[in-house]
Amino acid sequence: MRQGEAGGRYRYRYRYERSVRLPATPVRPIATADVVTALADVTTAPPLNGTLDVAGPDVFPLDELGRLTLALRRDDRTVVTDERDGMFAVVEGDVLTAGPGARPAPTHYEEWPRSR
């Protein structure tokens, strides 16, 4: 099977089925405006000679974030927790969340629709 075939099958499945399958991998979503602010701060400050991690203020399991997103969009699909499905299914632990020294962004995920 070619790569494009698998991608098309996933797009079809997520678009037309009445459920979405996501693992419970922890993530810290960050609003685009907060990324832009952090980037502007870094580019106008003295050199860090290192890295700066930025992340959203809240940690969500990806399946819970999916449920919240669908509810905010008034999408009636359900989320099924499936630790074997999706591109983040192979990720274990909290490797997709920023560490303790990260700069937390101010905008909570639930506020994103109101901040547009």
Side-chain angles (χ1 to χ4, degrees):
M1 178 184 299
R2 294 188 317 254
Q3 182 177 1
E5 293 172 349
R9 183 175 66 216
Y10 283 117
R11 279 193 300 275
Y12 177 84
R13 188 173 86 194
Y14 288 124
R15 188 170 183 183
Y16 296 104
E17 285 191 4
R18 298 311 314 154
S19 65
V20 177
R21 303 180 81 75
L22 294 169
T25 306
V27 294
R28 287 182 71 178
I30 183 169
T32 304
D34 292 341
V35 173
V36 171
T37 298
L39 184 58
D41 291 348
V42 168
T43 59
T44 58
L48 290 173
N49 296 324
T51 60
L52 173 67
D53 288 333
V54 294
D58 307 305
V59 177
F60 292 97
L62 189 57
D63 58 339
E64 181 184 325
L65 185 63
R67 287 181 190 94
L68 181 59
T69 300
L70 291 176
L72 288 171
R73 294 181 177 178
R74 293 182 172 83
D75 187 322
D76 63 350
R77 288 179 290 173
T78 59
V79 174
V80 176
T81 303
D82 186 345
E83 299 302 336
R84 299 173 297 154
D85 203 8
M87 60 190 246
F88 297 125
V90 297
V91 178
E92 294 184 14
D94 60 355
V95 297
L96 294 179
T97 60
R103 172 181 163 173
T107 311
H108 295 272
Y109 184 75
E110 295 89 347
E111 299 168 354
W112 288 12
R114 292 187 296 268
S115 66
R116 288 185 179 184

